[in-house]
């Protein structure tokens, strides 16, 4: 029986047990194993995943891969943002090294030559989206809450998130990017973040069958209809309001649309980092023009590294995670104070950071 001490050891960021890799029948199984930290990703976890995937890619006995999270709360709540906060505050570069390897892992998952089944049960946010939503077979449940909430901590969607959101129908992705809102199973499928809905109580049987049968065949037996979502009916006001040229105009349209949900979206946006909002809108629109994932990841790497020198990243994580006062003091404090030059800085080339994402 696993003891409290065992659980604490597994949750330690430096423990080798934070990612468990095993072969069950024909399937390589990766289990993110920091349940008390909602399986938040660390640099060693990313490297362990990459090592396992590379080995199984060359192993003819492994026909497919399954990704899941330990515990009952979710697959993965994102990266270890306390570590990013400390790195940004200290002015060091550990986060840049982490992101380079994390984004290379995201690209590897997207081009993986074998079926990659991601069980996106419970909370799946930020980095959790990166290790799941680029997979070839993505499963959500009635407990799934999928989001890219970065604007709330003064950051910008990364891990290929701007690529995924730019490809969502209409302007649903722009809405999710700016508000950071979480979606359930039906809306995750609608937005292209997931493929199949499977009731949570059927996951143990599904994962057991994957040991002996092809993933596509197994999922066909377990997939069901997720029921109605919320975003399909909201397409009218979302597509109209988010087509505006700037964040300020988007907010004005939302406030003036006459729909309570649109007004709520505007209020949600106005609570986020003004700089992060403007950079996010530009990043999603540039991602749409770039098309392929790897150039988008290169862009996101530049944006993320520049964000390390932005006061809003440290302040946002402080307010939401460290002090938890939920009262960030953004700088600049308003959308109107964020200039085009401020935004352009985030997309400027980097120097001295070694090979890019595609080199992985």
């Amino acid at each position: 029986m696993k003891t409290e001490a065992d659980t604490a050891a597994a949750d330690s960021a430096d423990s080798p047990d934070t990612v468990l890799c095993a072969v069950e029948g024909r399937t390589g199984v990766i289990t993110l194993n920091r349940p008390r930290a909602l399986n938040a990703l660390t640099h060693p976890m990313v490297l362990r995943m990459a090592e396992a995937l590379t080995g199984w890619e060359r192993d003819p006995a492994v026909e497919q891969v399954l990704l899941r999270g330990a515990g009952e709360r979710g697959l993965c709540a994102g990266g270890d943002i306390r570590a990013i906060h400390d790195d940004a505050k200290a002015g060091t570069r550990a986060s840049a090294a982490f992101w380079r390897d994390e984004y290379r892992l995201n690209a590897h998952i997207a081009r993986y030559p074998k079926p990659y089944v991601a069980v996106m049960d419970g909370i799946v946010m930020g980095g959790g989206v990166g290790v799941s939503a680029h997979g070839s077979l993505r499963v959500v449940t009635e407990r799934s809450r999928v989001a890219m909430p970065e604007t709330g901590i003064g950051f910008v969607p990364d891990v290929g998130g701007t690529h995924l959101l730019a490809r969502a129908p209409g302007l649903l992705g722009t809405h999710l990017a700016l508000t950071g809102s979480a979606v359930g199973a039906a809306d995750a499928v609608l937005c292209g973040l997931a493929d199949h809905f499977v009731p949570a109580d059927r996951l143990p049987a599904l994962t057991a069958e994957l040991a002996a049968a092809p993933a596509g065949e197994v999922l066909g037996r377990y997939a069901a209809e997720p029921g109605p979502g919320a975003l399909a009916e909201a397409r009218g006001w979302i597509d109209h309001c988010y087509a505006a040229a700037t964040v300020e105009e988007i907010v004005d349209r939302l406030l003036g649309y006459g729909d309570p949900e649109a007004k709520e979206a505007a209020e949600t946006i106005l609570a986020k980092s003004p700089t992060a909002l403007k950079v996010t809108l530009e990043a999603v629109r540039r991602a749409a023009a770039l098309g392929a994932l790897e150039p988008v990841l290169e862009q996101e790497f530049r944006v993320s590294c520049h964000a390390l020198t932005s006061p809003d990243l440290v302040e946002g994580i402080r307010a939401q995670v460290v002090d938890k006062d939920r009262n960030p003091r953004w700088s600049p404090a308003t959308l109107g104070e964020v200039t085009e030059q401020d935004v352009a800085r985030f997309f400027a080339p980097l120097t001295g950071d070694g090979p890019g994402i595609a080199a992985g």
Side-chain angles (χ1 to χ4, degrees):
M1 178 182 294
K2 182 176 283 189
T3 67
E4 184 71 15
D6 293 331
T7 303
D11 278 339
S12 170
D14 297 325
S15 170
D17 295 329
T18 53
V19 175
L20 304 178
C21 301
V23 177
E24 299 178 7
R26 66 174 67 207
T27 302
V29 180
I30 297 174
T31 304
L32 304 181
N33 190 38
R34 294 183 70 201
R36 295 201 301 189
L38 253 171
N39 301 319
L41 293 173
T42 64
H43 200 167
M45 292 171 70
V46 164
L47 295 175
R48 182 72 183 97
M49 286 186 67
E51 178 186 31
L53 289 175
T54 298
W56 290 338
E57 187 172 347
R58 299 165 182 163
D59 186 347
V62 176
E63 299 178 15
Q64 56 202 15
V65 172
L66 170 67
L67 173 72
R68 62 190 180 187
E72 299 295 321
R73 296 166 63 199
L75 172 66
C76 175
D80 190 339
I81 59 175
R82 279 182 176 268
I84 294 170
H85 168 272
D86 294 345
D87 187 42
K89 198 170 181 180
T92 48
R93 302 293 294 171
S95 295
F98 166 59
W99 286 325
R100 186 185 295 111
D101 288 329
E102 183 183 23
Y103 300 174
R104 285 175 176 168
L105 174 63
N106 303 147
H108 191 187
I109 290 168
R111 64 173 182 263
Y112 205 67
K114 300 179 180 182
Y116 181 101
V117 183
V119 177
M120 302 170 69
D121 185 34
I123 293 173
V124 186
M125 296 184 178
V129 173
V131 295
S132 59
H134 297 299
S136 54
L137 294 165
R138 305 159 301 173
V139 177
V140 283
T141 74
E142 71 277 9
R143 302 186 299 205
S144 296
R145 302 297 295 163
V146 184
M148 296 298 296
E150 286 78 6
T151 54
I153 58 166
F155 197 47
V156 177
D158 65 336
V159 298
T162 59
H163 171 78
L164 293 166
L165 295 173
R167 293 158 61 93
L171 293 172
L172 294 179
T174 304
H175 167 67
L176 296 180
L178 295 182
T179 63
S181 298
V183 296
D187 288 329
V189 173
L190 171 64
C191 291
L193 302 173
D195 305 298
H196 302 284
F197 168 76
V198 174
D201 62 3
R202 304 198 74 192
L203 290 178
L206 181 151
T207 55
E209 282 201 35
L210 283 173
E217 177 184 313
V218 173
L219 282 168
R221 291 197 293 270
Y222 285 87
E225 288 298 319
L231 291 181
E233 292 186 4
R235 280 286 302 276
W237 63 263
I238 287 175
D239 288 352
H240 169 73
C241 296
Y242 289 91
T246 66
V247 179
E248 292 97 322
E249 291 175 90
I250 288 171
V251 170
D252 286 345
R253 287 192 185 187
L254 289 168
L255 291 172
Y257 195 80
D259 186 297
E261 291 185 357
K263 181 175 182 292
E264 182 180 348
E267 292 168 350
T268 297
I269 289 171
L270 289 172
K272 312 298 184 183
S273 158
T275 300
L277 288 168
K278 288 200 170 183
V279 176
T280 294
L281 182 62
E282 180 69 11
V284 171
R285 290 176 173 173
R286 289 191 184 206
L290 287 169
L293 173 61
E294 289 192 359
V296 175
L297 286 167
E298 296 279 6
Q299 172 177 280
E300 290 178 348
F301 184 67
R302 293 194 298 274
V303 170
S304 296
C305 289
H306 287 302
L308 281 175
T309 63
S310 167
D312 279 4
L313 179 58
V314 170
E315 174 61 12
I317 299 174
R318 179 207 65 77
Q320 299 298 335
V321 178
V322 179
D323 297 337
K324 298 182 180 179
D325 59 26
R326 308 291 192 266
N327 186 33
R329 295 178 290 275
W330 305 122
S331 178
T334 66
L335 289 166
E337 294 175 271
V338 182
T339 68
E340 291 183 7
Q341 291 73 23
D342 293 332
V343 174
R345 178 181 75 83
F346 283 79
F347 298 89
L350 300 169
T351 56
D353 278 308
I357 306 307

